Amino acid sequence: MSFPTINAERLLSDLTHLGQIGADPRGSLYRVAGSAADLAGRDWIDKTMRVAGLHTWRDEIGNVFSRRTDSEGPWLLIGSHADTVPGGGHLDGAYGVIAAMEVLRTLHEANHPAADYLETVAFYDEEGVTLQSNGGLVGSTALSENPHVQELMGYLELHVEQGPRMERAELDLSAVTGIVGVRRYLVEIDGQENHAGTTPFELRADAGRVATRFGALVRDVCRNIDATSIGNVGSIVLEPNAPNVVPGRATVQVEVRAGSEKALDGIEALLGEELQRIASEEKCTAGLRTTSAKPVAEFDTRLVDTVEQVCVRNSERFERMLSYAGHDASVMSTKVPTAMIFVPSTGGYSHSNLEHTPDEQLVLGTQALLESVVAVVNLMLATDVSERHSLAA
Ligand SMILES: [Zn+2]
């Protein structure tokens, strides 16, 4: 099969252009959702696609869409988010949006049959910077609740990795198999406050010692249960927090991420056991409470396989991987067959003006997106309508 080739020059110059909207002199972006710069960015996306002869529109929340004027669907949606964190980089979100625009324009200009089944999106407010956006993913959540989602045959998102794994493994492309689930815990430990000089070690009920012993174990527990999981002890608070007082109370905040609910359950159970063991050894009492739990997003295996075939054809420096950061694709995957493609992040930097990916990899990723689009459209059109969405399970 031969494919149209994306216009690399247009891709890179559009990335530069969007990267100037909301930029400060150091190149840090302030295109926070709802800001004047964010509105200007989405206006520019809209206008660029209209100038290319495509039909554009916005939904109530402010997501910007485009497709061919005479296309009747169902559509494969491609895109990412248009907003940034304060002081963000020019690739997070923007790369997936611009690449989607490039893919639709290339297929439209080539009059390729897949162009009639394609729709692009620039999602509103993925980052969730402001209080009212309640943790982000605002635009994709709104779309997932809109009847239009039923007219979609799937969702593909191209994104920069935002971490160092791909660069360290010398990869060009990754097919993302899913997005980690995230659980947060509050650990509360009670002991007995006492004089830190006169109380012998063996007579203490030292809540601080339980907190630090437990905190040091979190890594081992994660590694023990699932080598791809990761955890963090982000806060330890001791009371009364003074050098000459044995802490009578301690609270610890722990976050854990893993690619399966089974691994998350295993880590949670083992954390609970270890906490009880350490607390009783230290003559304290302790409890572990879940404060939030974001489920694992598992992408559609047929779409992931299709993306993998395309990527491998374009570069042998390829691996499947799990995403440790959240994306609009996690919301979309609850409604339609979904997959993602990653390109490396130089130095692993993201949410920073140091965000960078070599041009060749930006171009390669966009071409892989185009070829994935053609393959997924063909796959879905060959699949019975009743089975299209069931692929998501
Ligand atoms: Zn992003």
Side-chain angles (χ1 to χ4, degrees):
M1 212 187 298
S2 81
F3 298 92
T5 307
I6 60 131
N7 182 336
E9 213 174 297
R10 181 170 62 186
L11 172 82
L12 297 172
S13 82
D14 282 355
L15 264 174
T16 303
H17 191 104
L18 185 55
Q20 283 161 351
I21 302 176
D24 74 2
R26 290 168 54 243
S28 297
L29 278 171
Y30 291 80
R31 217 166 53 238
V32 172
S35 66
D38 170 48
L39 190 59
R42 282 179 289 132
D43 282 345
W44 176 80
I45 290 163
D46 190 328
K47 197 187 89 199
T48 302
M49 294 310 269
R50 253 185 292 125
V51 167
L54 294 150
H55 167 58
T56 68
W57 75 101
R58 289 177 208 209
D59 62 10
E60 281 164 23
I61 198 88
N63 297 321
V64 181
F65 298 87
S66 75
R67 65 184 182 218
R68 278 186 136 180
T69 44
D70 47 358
S71 78
E72 286 168 8
W75 295 279
L76 173 63
L77 186 70
I78 58 171
S80 190
H81 58 98
D83 65 318
T84 73
V85 295
H90 71 300
L91 295 174
D92 178 9
Y95 174 49
V97 171
I98 300 281
M101 291 161 66
E102 180 54 41
V103 166
L104 177 55
R105 281 178 291 176
T106 301
L107 292 173
H108 170 64
E109 288 157 7
N111 215 4
H112 191 283
D116 282 323
Y117 299 95
L118 196 55
E119 184 173 298
T120 68
V121 64
F123 280 121
Y124 175 70
D125 197 356
E126 187 268 347
E127 300 286 4
V129 171
T130 58
L131 259 184
Q132 64 265 32
S133 59
N134 193 23
L137 302 170
V138 175
S140 44
T141 300
L143 175 60
S144 74
E145 291 160 359
N146 186 306
H148 178 49
V149 79
Q150 258 110 52
E151 301 172 309
L152 301 176
M153 58 165 87
Y155 177 65
L156 278 182
E157 180 169 354
L158 174 64
H159 207 282
V160 288
E161 185 208 343
Q162 302 184 278
R165 291 163 204 261
M166 289 182 71
E167 188 184 52
R168 291 181 67 190
E170 300 188 344
L171 304 178
D172 288 323
L173 298 168
S174 281
V176 183
T177 54
I179 299 178
V180 291
V182 186
R183 294 191 192 172
R184 291 186 183 162
Y185 304 101
L186 180 68
V187 176
E188 293 171 291
I189 304 154
D190 285 297
Q192 178 58 56
E193 219 173 285
N194 213 333
H195 195 295
T198 60
T199 316
F201 283 145
E202 64 274 17
L203 295 182
R204 295 181 188 195
D206 185 341
R209 184 161 161 81
V210 176
T212 52
R213 281 183 67 192
F214 173 75
L217 265 181
V218 168
R219 262 187 205 198
D220 302 319
V221 168
C222 289
R223 283 190 176 135
N224 228 315
I225 299 291
D226 175 5
T228 66
S229 69
I230 202 149
N232 185 45
V233 179
S235 163
I236 296 182
V237 178
L238 306 180
E239 291 171 38
N241 208 28
N244 54 353
V245 184
V246 175
R249 188 174 158 77
T251 51
V252 183
Q253 291 188 59
V254 178
E255 184 191 86
V256 173
R257 299 175 186 232
S260 74
E261 298 295 336
K262 190 169 158 260
L264 289 167
D265 289 343
I267 292 166
E268 183 173 312
L270 190 51
L271 285 177
E273 274 170 42
E274 292 289 4
L275 178 64
Q276 292 312 321
R277 180 181 61 80
I278 297 166
S280 88
E281 284 173 12
E282 300 290 344
K283 300 185 265 308
C284 293
T285 58
L288 179 137
R289 183 153 61 82
T290 306
T291 52
S292 73
K294 271 198 218 148
V296 174
E298 281 177 80
F299 292 159
D300 188 284
T301 51
R302 290 183 60 179
L303 261 63
V304 176
D305 289 348
T306 305
V307 165
E308 171 168 329
Q309 285 159 18
V310 167
C311 289
V312 168
R313 201 168 59 218
N314 280 277
S315 170
E316 60 201 15
R317 288 149 48 115
F318 167 87
E319 264 175 37
R320 287 178 172 231
M321 72 181 297
L322 198 57
S323 173
Y324 287 80
H327 295 290
D328 293 302
S330 69
V331 176
M332 295 305 294
S333 73
T334 64
K335 296 290 177 176
V336 296
T338 294
M340 287 185 82
I341 306 171
F342 274 174
V343 295
S345 293
T346 305
Y349 292 109
S350 188
H351 286 186
S352 149
N353 68 1
L354 295 176
E355 217 169 63
H356 179 260
T357 301
D359 287 350
E360 314 80 70
Q361 286 171 334
L362 293 173
V363 171
L364 193 65
T366 307
Q367 184 65 29
L369 177 66
L370 180 143
E371 296 179 21
S372 297
V373 162
V374 173
V376 170
V377 165
N378 288 339
L379 169 75
M380 284 299 172
L381 291 179
T383 303
D384 194 71
V385 177
S386 63
E387 283 172 21
R388 274 183 201 149
H389 281 213
S390 69
L391 297 180

